[in-house]
mmCIF file of all heavy atoms in Angstrom:
data_model
loop_
_atom_site.group_PDB
_atom_site.id
_atom_site.type_symbol
_atom_site.label_atom_id
_atom_site.label_comp_id
_atom_site.label_asym_id
_atom_site.label_seq_id
_atom_site.Cartn_x
_atom_site.Cartn_y
_atom_site.Cartn_z
ATOM 1 N N PHE A 1 109.871 105.780 105.940
ATOM 2 C CA PHE A 1 108.511 106.079 105.509
ATOM 3 C C PHE A 1 107.578 106.338 106.687
ATOM 4 O O PHE A 1 106.491 106.888 106.512
ATOM 5 C CB PHE A 1 107.953 104.956 104.640
ATOM 6 C CG PHE A 1 108.664 104.812 103.316
ATOM 7 C CD1 PHE A 1 108.442 103.705 102.501
ATOM 8 C CD2 PHE A 1 109.570 105.773 102.879
ATOM 9 C CE1 PHE A 1 109.098 103.574 101.286
ATOM 10 C CE2 PHE A 1 110.237 105.645 101.661
ATOM 11 C CZ PHE A 1 109.998 104.532 100.869
ATOM 12 N N GLY A 2 107.968 105.912 107.879
ATOM 13 C CA GLY A 2 107.293 106.354 109.087
ATOM 14 C C GLY A 2 106.083 105.581 109.542
ATOM 15 O O GLY A 2 105.293 106.086 110.350
ATOM 16 N N ALA A 3 105.890 104.344 109.084
ATOM 17 C CA ALA A 3 104.705 103.589 109.491
ATOM 18 C C ALA A 3 104.690 103.322 110.990
ATOM 19 O O ALA A 3 103.621 103.362 111.616
ATOM 20 C CB ALA A 3 104.627 102.272 108.721
ATOM 21 N N TYR A 4 105.846 103.045 111.582
ATOM 22 C CA TYR A 4 105.895 102.785 113.021
ATOM 23 C C TYR A 4 105.415 104.015 113.788
ATOM 24 O O TYR A 4 104.562 103.932 114.673
ATOM 25 C CB TYR A 4 107.312 102.406 113.437
ATOM 26 C CG TYR A 4 107.452 102.093 114.910
ATOM 27 C CD1 TYR A 4 107.181 100.817 115.398
ATOM 28 C CD2 TYR A 4 107.845 103.086 115.816
ATOM 29 C CE1 TYR A 4 107.301 100.525 116.750
ATOM 30 C CE2 TYR A 4 107.970 102.797 117.172
ATOM 31 C CZ TYR A 4 107.694 101.515 117.631
ATOM 32 O OH TYR A 4 107.808 101.245 118.980
ATOM 33 N N ARG A 5 105.934 105.150 113.415
ATOM 34 C CA ARG A 5 105.551 106.409 114.059
ATOM 35 C C ARG A 5 104.083 106.732 113.825
ATOM 36 O O ARG A 5 103.357 107.082 114.759
ATOM 37 C CB ARG A 5 106.441 107.524 113.505
ATOM 38 C CG ARG A 5 105.964 108.936 113.762
ATOM 39 C CD ARG A 5 106.837 109.907 112.994
ATOM 40 N NE ARG A 5 106.302 111.246 112.996
ATOM 41 C CZ ARG A 5 106.851 112.256 112.335
ATOM 42 N NH1 ARG A 5 107.944 112.050 111.625
ATOM 43 N NH2 ARG A 5 106.305 113.455 112.373
ATOM 44 N N ASP A 6 103.632 106.602 112.595
ATOM 45 C CA ASP A 6 102.245 106.938 112.275
ATOM 46 C C ASP A 6 101.269 105.990 112.965
ATOM 47 O O ASP A 6 100.184 106.406 113.404
ATOM 48 C CB ASP A 6 102.023 106.915 110.764
ATOM 49 C CG ASP A 6 102.691 108.081 110.054
ATOM 50 O OD1 ASP A 6 103.026 109.074 110.731
ATOM 51 O OD2 ASP A 6 102.883 108.006 108.826
ATOM 52 N N GLY A 7 101.628 104.717 113.030
ATOM 53 C CA GLY A 7 100.758 103.757 113.700
ATOM 54 C C GLY A 7 100.583 104.071 115.172
ATOM 55 O O GLY A 7 99.467 104.023 115.712
ATOM 56 N N GLN A 8 101.690 104.398 115.831
ATOM 57 C CA GLN A 8 101.610 104.776 117.240
ATOM 58 C C GLN A 8 100.770 106.039 117.411
ATOM 59 O O GLN A 8 99.957 106.153 118.344
ATOM 60 C CB GLN A 8 103.022 105.013 117.795
ATOM 61 C CG GLN A 8 103.931 103.802 117.783
ATOM 62 C CD GLN A 8 103.706 102.863 118.956
ATOM 63 O OE1 GLN A 8 102.878 103.118 119.811
ATOM 64 N NE2 GLN A 8 104.443 101.761 118.987
ATOM 65 N N GLU A 9 100.953 106.982 116.503
ATOM 66 C CA GLU A 9 100.234 108.254 116.616
ATOM 67 C C GLU A 9 98.725 108.079 116.465
ATOM 68 O O GLU A 9 97.949 108.574 117.288
ATOM 69 C CB GLU A 9 100.742 109.241 115.552
ATOM 70 C CG GLU A 9 99.980 110.568 115.573
ATOM 71 C CD GLU A 9 100.403 111.522 114.475
ATOM 72 O OE1 GLU A 9 101.499 111.332 113.902
ATOM 73 O OE2 GLU A 9 99.632 112.456 114.196
ATOM 74 N N ILE A 10 98.294 107.384 115.423
ATOM 75 C CA ILE A 10 96.853 107.280 115.197
ATOM 76 C C ILE A 10 96.197 106.411 116.253
ATOM 77 O O ILE A 10 95.049 106.656 116.657
ATOM 78 C CB ILE A 10 96.538 106.774 113.769
ATOM 79 C CG1 ILE A 10 95.047 106.979 113.459
ATOM 80 C CG2 ILE A 10 96.954 105.339 113.570
ATOM 81 C CD1 ILE A 10 94.551 108.418 113.579
ATOM 82 N N TYR A 11 96.910 105.419 116.745
ATOM 83 C CA TYR A 11 96.359 104.612 117.838
ATOM 84 C C TYR A 11 96.106 105.487 119.062
ATOM 85 O O TYR A 11 95.069 105.384 119.721
ATOM 86 C CB TYR A 11 97.311 103.469 118.190
ATOM 87 C CG TYR A 11 96.873 102.700 119.409
ATOM 88 C CD1 TYR A 11 95.809 101.803 119.342
ATOM 89 C CD2 TYR A 11 97.507 102.881 120.638
ATOM 90 C CE1 TYR A 11 95.394 101.102 120.472
ATOM 91 C CE2 TYR A 11 97.100 102.183 121.770
ATOM 92 C CZ TYR A 11 96.042 101.303 121.672
ATOM 93 O OH TYR A 11 95.629 100.627 122.791
ATOM 94 N N GLY A 12 97.044 106.370 119.371
ATOM 95 C CA GLY A 12 96.879 107.241 120.522
ATOM 96 C C GLY A 12 95.819 108.306 120.332
ATOM 97 O O GLY A 12 95.108 108.667 121.276
ATOM 98 N N ARG A 13 95.692 108.816 119.112
ATOM 99 C CA ARG A 13 94.780 109.931 118.864
ATOM 100 C C ARG A 13 93.346 109.520 118.591
ATOM 101 O O ARG A 13 92.421 110.318 118.802
ATOM 102 C CB ARG A 13 95.289 110.753 117.676
ATOM 103 C CG ARG A 13 96.556 111.530 117.951
ATOM 104 C CD ARG A 13 97.032 112.267 116.710
ATOM 105 N NE ARG A 13 95.992 113.154 116.179
ATOM 106 C CZ ARG A 13 96.104 113.826 115.039
ATOM 107 N NH1 ARG A 13 97.198 113.699 114.305
ATOM 108 N NH2 ARG A 13 95.128 114.606 114.622
ATOM 109 N N ALA A 14 93.128 108.319 118.103
ATOM 110 C CA ALA A 14 91.789 107.906 117.672
ATOM 111 C C ALA A 14 90.788 107.976 118.816
ATOM 112 O O ALA A 14 91.070 107.580 119.945
ATOM 113 C CB ALA A 14 91.832 106.493 117.106
ATOM 114 N N ALA A 15 89.586 108.454 118.484
ATOM 115 C CA ALA A 15 88.502 108.518 119.467
ATOM 116 C C ALA A 15 87.851 107.157 119.675
ATOM 117 O O ALA A 15 87.002 107.014 120.559
ATOM 118 C CB ALA A 15 87.451 109.531 119.008
ATOM 119 N N SER A 16 88.234 106.163 118.906
ATOM 120 C CA SER A 16 87.622 104.838 118.974
ATOM 121 C C SER A 16 87.663 104.290 120.399
ATOM 122 O O SER A 16 88.714 104.273 121.038
ATOM 123 C CB SER A 16 88.366 103.861 118.048
ATOM 124 O OG SER A 16 88.533 104.400 116.757
ATOM 125 N N LYS A 17 86.512 103.820 120.873
ATOM 126 C CA LYS A 17 86.469 103.177 122.185
ATOM 127 C C LYS A 17 87.051 101.770 122.118
ATOM 128 O O LYS A 17 87.528 101.238 123.124
ATOM 129 C CB LYS A 17 85.031 103.141 122.693
ATOM 130 C CG LYS A 17 84.459 104.519 123.002
ATOM 131 C CD LYS A 17 83.037 104.420 123.518
ATOM 132 C CE LYS A 17 82.477 105.807 123.832
ATOM 133 N NZ LYS A 17 81.065 105.737 124.310
ATOM 134 N N ASP A 18 86.998 101.166 120.951
ATOM 135 C CA ASP A 18 87.553 99.826 120.747
ATOM 136 C C ASP A 18 88.677 99.941 119.732
ATOM 137 O O ASP A 18 88.431 100.052 118.530
ATOM 138 C CB ASP A 18 86.468 98.870 120.251
ATOM 139 C CG ASP A 18 86.925 97.411 120.266
ATOM 140 O OD1 ASP A 18 88.139 97.176 120.119
ATOM 141 O OD2 ASP A 18 86.084 96.526 120.430
ATOM 142 N N LYS A 19 89.900 99.945 120.215
ATOM 143 C CA LYS A 19 91.050 100.061 119.310
ATOM 144 C C LYS A 19 92.160 99.152 119.802
ATOM 145 O O LYS A 19 92.335 98.925 121.003
ATOM 146 C CB LYS A 19 91.530 101.506 119.193
ATOM 147 C CG LYS A 19 91.869 102.198 120.500
ATOM 148 C CD LYS A 19 92.216 103.658 120.242
ATOM 149 C CE LYS A 19 92.495 104.402 121.554
ATOM 150 N NZ LYS A 19 92.826 105.826 121.308
ATOM 151 N N ARG A 20 92.935 98.648 118.820
ATOM 152 C CA ARG A 20 94.002 97.703 119.133
ATOM 153 C C ARG A 20 95.231 98.041 118.322
ATOM 154 O O ARG A 20 95.135 98.367 117.127
ATOM 155 C CB ARG A 20 93.555 96.276 118.832
ATOM 156 C CG ARG A 20 94.628 95.233 119.141
ATOM 157 C CD ARG A 20 94.244 93.838 118.700
ATOM 158 N NE ARG A 20 95.332 92.895 118.901
ATOM 159 C CZ ARG A 20 95.388 91.686 118.372
ATOM 160 N NH1 ARG A 20 94.390 91.246 117.633
ATOM 161 N NH2 ARG A 20 96.425 90.893 118.596
ATOM 162 N N LEU A 21 96.382 97.950 118.939
ATOM 163 C CA LEU A 21 97.665 98.148 118.270
ATOM 164 C C LEU A 21 98.460 96.853 118.361
ATOM 165 O O LEU A 21 98.756 96.374 119.446
ATOM 166 C CB LEU A 21 98.451 99.283 118.939
ATOM 167 C CG LEU A 21 99.878 99.512 118.430
ATOM 168 C CD1 LEU A 21 99.869 99.970 116.986
ATOM 169 C CD2 LEU A 21 100.606 100.529 119.322
ATOM 170 N N LEU A 22 98.783 96.285 117.191
ATOM 171 C CA LEU A 22 99.610 95.081 117.130
ATOM 172 C C LEU A 22 100.966 95.458 116.551
ATOM 173 O O LEU A 22 101.057 95.901 115.403
ATOM 174 C CB LEU A 22 98.944 94.017 116.242
ATOM 175 C CG LEU A 22 99.799 92.784 115.911
ATOM 176 C CD1 LEU A 22 100.190 92.031 117.171
ATOM 177 C CD2 LEU A 22 99.068 91.874 114.925
ATOM 178 N N VAL A 23 102.010 95.301 117.353
ATOM 179 C CA VAL A 23 103.379 95.554 116.896
ATOM 180 C C VAL A 23 104.041 94.200 116.669
ATOM 181 O O VAL A 23 104.287 93.449 117.623
ATOM 182 C CB VAL A 23 104.170 96.383 117.923
ATOM 183 C CG1 VAL A 23 105.571 96.655 117.393
ATOM 184 C CG2 VAL A 23 103.448 97.687 118.243
ATOM 185 N N VAL A 24 104.313 93.871 115.421
ATOM 186 C CA VAL A 24 104.878 92.570 115.067
ATOM 187 C C VAL A 24 106.393 92.630 115.252
ATOM 188 O O VAL A 24 107.062 93.491 114.686
ATOM 189 C CB VAL A 24 104.515 92.182 113.619
ATOM 190 C CG1 VAL A 24 105.035 90.781 113.304
ATOM 191 C CG2 VAL A 24 103.013 92.262 113.407
ATOM 192 N N GLU A 25 106.923 91.719 116.038
ATOM 193 C CA GLU A 25 108.337 91.747 116.386
ATOM 194 C C GLU A 25 109.235 91.364 115.208
ATOM 195 O O GLU A 25 108.865 90.567 114.360
ATOM 196 C CB GLU A 25 108.606 90.802 117.563
ATOM 197 C CG GLU A 25 107.930 91.222 118.858
ATOM 198 C CD GLU A 25 108.266 90.292 120.004
ATOM 199 O OE1 GLU A 25 108.989 89.292 119.780
ATOM 200 O OE2 GLU A 25 107.814 90.572 121.129
ATOM 201 N N ASP A 26 110.428 91.986 115.206
ATOM 202 C CA ASP A 26 111.465 91.705 114.204
ATOM 203 C C ASP A 26 110.915 91.843 112.789
ATOM 204 O O ASP A 26 111.175 91.010 111.916
ATOM 205 C CB ASP A 26 112.042 90.305 114.422
ATOM 206 C CG ASP A 26 113.341 90.102 113.659
ATOM 207 O OD1 ASP A 26 114.060 91.084 113.434
ATOM 208 O OD2 ASP A 26 113.626 88.955 113.259
ATOM 209 N N THR A 27 110.152 92.906 112.566
ATOM 210 C CA THR A 27 109.427 93.079 111.297
ATOM 211 C C THR A 27 109.554 94.507 110.797
ATOM 212 O O THR A 27 109.387 95.466 111.553
ATOM 213 C CB THR A 27 107.941 92.729 111.498
ATOM 214 O OG1 THR A 27 107.829 91.338 111.806
ATOM 215 C CG2 THR A 27 107.120 93.018 110.255
ATOM 216 N N SER A 28 109.843 94.646 109.498
ATOM 217 C CA SER A 28 109.935 95.950 108.856
ATOM 218 C C SER A 28 108.645 96.249 108.090
ATOM 219 O O SER A 28 107.745 95.414 107.986
ATOM 220 C CB SER A 28 111.119 95.970 107.890
ATOM 221 O OG SER A 28 110.870 95.085 106.802
ATOM 222 N N HIS A 29 108.591 97.435 107.536
ATOM 223 C CA HIS A 29 107.434 97.865 106.747
ATOM 224 C C HIS A 29 107.110 96.860 105.639
ATOM 225 O O HIS A 29 105.975 96.401 105.509
ATOM 226 C CB HIS A 29 107.748 99.242 106.147
ATOM 227 C CG HIS A 29 106.644 99.858 105.349
ATOM 228 N ND1 HIS A 29 105.783 100.791 105.868
ATOM 229 C CD2 HIS A 29 106.258 99.667 104.060
ATOM 230 C CE1 HIS A 29 104.916 101.160 104.934
ATOM 231 N NE2 HIS A 29 105.192 100.496 103.828
ATOM 232 N N TYR A 30 108.109 96.509 104.843
ATOM 233 C CA TYR A 30 107.848 95.659 103.673
ATOM 234 C C TYR A 30 107.762 94.178 104.015
ATOM 235 O O TYR A 30 107.262 93.393 103.211
ATOM 236 C CB TYR A 30 108.878 95.945 102.575
ATOM 237 C CG TYR A 30 108.542 97.257 101.901
ATOM 238 C CD1 TYR A 30 109.098 98.449 102.345
ATOM 239 C CD2 TYR A 30 107.599 97.320 100.890
ATOM 240 C CE1 TYR A 30 108.742 99.663 101.776
ATOM 241 C CE2 TYR A 30 107.238 98.519 100.313
ATOM 242 C CZ TYR A 30 107.808 99.688 100.761
ATOM 243 O OH TYR A 30 107.431 100.882 100.212
ATOM 244 N N ASP A 31 108.202 93.797 105.209
ATOM 245 C CA ASP A 31 107.942 92.430 105.650
ATOM 246 C C ASP A 31 106.440 92.183 105.743
ATOM 247 O O ASP A 31 105.965 91.068 105.507
ATOM 248 C CB ASP A 31 108.572 92.176 107.019
ATOM 249 C CG ASP A 31 110.086 92.039 106.968
ATOM 250 O OD1 ASP A 31 110.623 91.757 105.879
ATOM 251 O OD2 ASP A 31 110.727 92.211 108.024
ATOM 252 N N LEU A 32 105.684 93.235 106.095
ATOM 253 C CA LEU A 32 104.236 93.101 106.250
ATOM 254 C C LEU A 32 103.494 93.091 104.919
ATOM 255 O O LEU A 32 102.273 92.946 104.889
ATOM 256 C CB LEU A 32 103.692 94.216 107.156
ATOM 257 C CG LEU A 32 103.883 93.959 108.650
ATOM 258 C CD1 LEU A 32 103.724 95.242 109.453
ATOM 259 C CD2 LEU A 32 102.915 92.893 109.130
ATOM 260 N N TYR A 33 104.229 93.221 103.818
ATOM 261 C CA TYR A 33 103.605 93.101 102.495
ATOM 262 C C TYR A 33 103.408 91.639 102.103
ATOM 263 O O TYR A 33 102.356 91.270 101.596
ATOM 264 C CB TYR A 33 104.479 93.778 101.443
ATOM 265 C CG TYR A 33 104.260 95.254 101.290
ATOM 266 C CD1 TYR A 33 104.060 96.078 102.391
ATOM 267 C CD2 TYR A 33 104.280 95.854 100.035
ATOM 268 C CE1 TYR A 33 103.880 97.438 102.234
ATOM 269 C CE2 TYR A 33 104.097 97.216 99.877
ATOM 270 C CZ TYR A 33 103.900 98.006 100.981
ATOM 271 O OH TYR A 33 103.718 99.359 100.819
ATOM 272 N N ASP A 34 104.463 90.811 102.334
ATOM 273 C CA ASP A 34 104.372 89.455 101.778
ATOM 274 C C ASP A 34 105.201 88.400 102.503
ATOM 275 O O ASP A 34 105.172 87.239 102.109
ATOM 276 C CB ASP A 34 104.775 89.469 100.296
ATOM 277 C CG ASP A 34 106.220 89.900 100.071
ATOM 278 O OD1 ASP A 34 106.863 90.378 101.032
ATOM 279 O OD2 ASP A 34 106.703 89.768 98.933
ATOM 280 N N ARG A 35 105.942 88.760 103.535
ATOM 281 C CA ARG A 35 106.708 87.749 104.242
ATOM 282 C C ARG A 35 105.745 86.879 105.059
ATOM 283 O O ARG A 35 104.870 87.401 105.753
ATOM 284 C CB ARG A 35 107.745 88.387 105.155
ATOM 285 C CG ARG A 35 108.782 89.253 104.441
ATOM 286 C CD ARG A 35 109.525 88.521 103.344
ATOM 287 N NE ARG A 35 110.638 89.310 102.806
ATOM 288 C CZ ARG A 35 111.243 89.042 101.662
ATOM 289 N NH1 ARG A 35 110.850 88.015 100.913
ATOM 290 N NH2 ARG A 35 112.247 89.810 101.246
ATOM 291 N N PRO A 36 105.891 85.561 104.984
ATOM 292 C CA PRO A 36 104.863 84.660 105.541
ATOM 293 C C PRO A 36 104.505 84.891 107.002
ATOM 294 O O PRO A 36 103.324 85.013 107.339
ATOM 295 C CB PRO A 36 105.468 83.271 105.311
ATOM 296 C CG PRO A 36 106.345 83.433 104.112
ATOM 297 C CD PRO A 36 106.931 84.807 104.240
ATOM 298 N N GLU A 37 105.483 84.960 107.882
ATOM 299 C CA GLU A 37 105.153 85.051 109.310
ATOM 300 C C GLU A 37 104.534 86.400 109.696
ATOM 301 O O GLU A 37 103.487 86.435 110.364
ATOM 302 C CB GLU A 37 106.387 84.765 110.169
ATOM 303 C CG GLU A 37 106.143 84.862 111.668
ATOM 304 C CD GLU A 37 105.020 83.973 112.169
ATOM 305 O OE1 GLU A 37 104.704 82.956 111.504
ATOM 306 O OE2 GLU A 37 104.441 84.286 113.232
ATOM 307 N N PRO A 38 105.122 87.537 109.304
ATOM 308 C CA PRO A 38 104.471 88.804 109.648
ATOM 309 C C PRO A 38 103.069 88.944 109.041
ATOM 310 O O PRO A 38 102.139 89.409 109.722
ATOM 311 C CB PRO A 38 105.430 89.854 109.083
ATOM 312 C CG PRO A 38 106.741 89.174 109.002
ATOM 313 C CD PRO A 38 106.423 87.749 108.658
ATOM 314 N N THR A 39 102.924 88.539 107.769
ATOM 315 C CA THR A 39 101.603 88.685 107.155
ATOM 316 C C THR A 39 100.598 87.725 107.780
ATOM 317 O O THR A 39 99.409 88.049 107.880
ATOM 318 C CB THR A 39 101.665 88.465 105.635
ATOM 319 O OG1 THR A 39 102.287 87.209 105.345
ATOM 320 C CG2 THR A 39 102.461 89.569 104.962
ATOM 321 N N ARG A 40 101.069 86.563 108.226
ATOM 322 C CA ARG A 40 100.158 85.650 108.932
ATOM 323 C C ARG A 40 99.585 86.319 110.172
ATOM 324 O O ARG A 40 98.383 86.260 110.437
ATOM 325 C CB ARG A 40 100.890 84.369 109.325
ATOM 326 C CG ARG A 40 99.999 83.371 110.085
ATOM 327 C CD ARG A 40 100.803 82.251 110.726
ATOM 328 N NE ARG A 40 101.698 82.736 111.764
ATOM 329 C CZ ARG A 40 101.313 83.050 112.997
ATOM 330 N NH1 ARG A 40 100.034 82.948 113.344
ATOM 331 N NH2 ARG A 40 102.192 83.471 113.882
ATOM 332 N N GLN A 41 100.457 86.961 110.938
ATOM 333 C CA GLN A 41 99.994 87.622 112.157
ATOM 334 C C GLN A 41 99.022 88.756 111.836
ATOM 335 O O GLN A 41 98.016 88.943 112.530
ATOM 336 C CB GLN A 41 101.182 88.148 112.951
ATOM 337 C CG GLN A 41 102.074 87.060 113.517
ATOM 338 C CD GLN A 41 103.146 87.615 114.438
ATOM 339 O OE1 GLN A 41 102.853 88.420 115.330
ATOM 340 N NE2 GLN A 41 104.379 87.188 114.236
ATOM 341 N N ALA A 42 99.317 89.506 110.785
ATOM 342 C CA ALA A 42 98.436 90.611 110.411
ATOM 343 C C ALA A 42 97.077 90.094 109.945
ATOM 344 O O ALA A 42 96.023 90.624 110.336
ATOM 345 C CB ALA A 42 99.086 91.444 109.310
ATOM 346 N N VAL A 43 97.085 89.060 109.107
ATOM 347 C CA VAL A 43 95.826 88.508 108.585
ATOM 348 C C VAL A 43 94.993 87.898 109.706
ATOM 349 O O VAL A 43 93.772 88.091 109.771
ATOM 350 C CB VAL A 43 96.112 87.478 107.481
ATOM 351 C CG1 VAL A 43 94.851 86.705 107.124
ATOM 352 C CG2 VAL A 43 96.677 88.168 106.237
ATOM 353 N N GLU A 44 95.638 87.174 110.600
ATOM 354 C CA GLU A 44 94.899 86.567 111.705
ATOM 355 C C GLU A 44 94.285 87.638 112.607
ATOM 356 O O GLU A 44 93.136 87.511 113.049
ATOM 357 C CB GLU A 44 95.809 85.649 112.514
ATOM 358 C CG GLU A 44 96.146 84.355 111.781
ATOM 359 C CD GLU A 44 96.991 83.412 112.622
ATOM 360 O OE1 GLU A 44 97.378 83.809 113.754
ATOM 361 O OE2 GLU A 44 97.257 82.285 112.152
ATOM 362 N N ALA A 45 95.032 88.706 112.874
ATOM 363 C CA ALA A 45 94.499 89.769 113.709
ATOM 364 C C ALA A 45 93.332 90.476 113.021
ATOM 365 O O ALA A 45 92.312 90.778 113.654
ATOM 366 C CB ALA A 45 95.610 90.774 114.030
ATOM 367 N N ALA A 46 93.466 90.723 111.707
ATOM 368 C CA ALA A 46 92.397 91.396 110.973
ATOM 369 C C ALA A 46 91.156 90.513 110.869
ATOM 370 O O ALA A 46 90.030 91.008 110.976
ATOM 371 C CB ALA A 46 92.889 91.792 109.585
#
């Protein structure tokens, strides 16, 4: 589905002066939907 690729692309292309890319280790696309540890990292960062 390409989320890894798209995330890298928009992070690089965005004109935002304040931008952050968080790559969660050992994590797939759907792990970030509801798996406790990946979603914890995403929620805390957000």
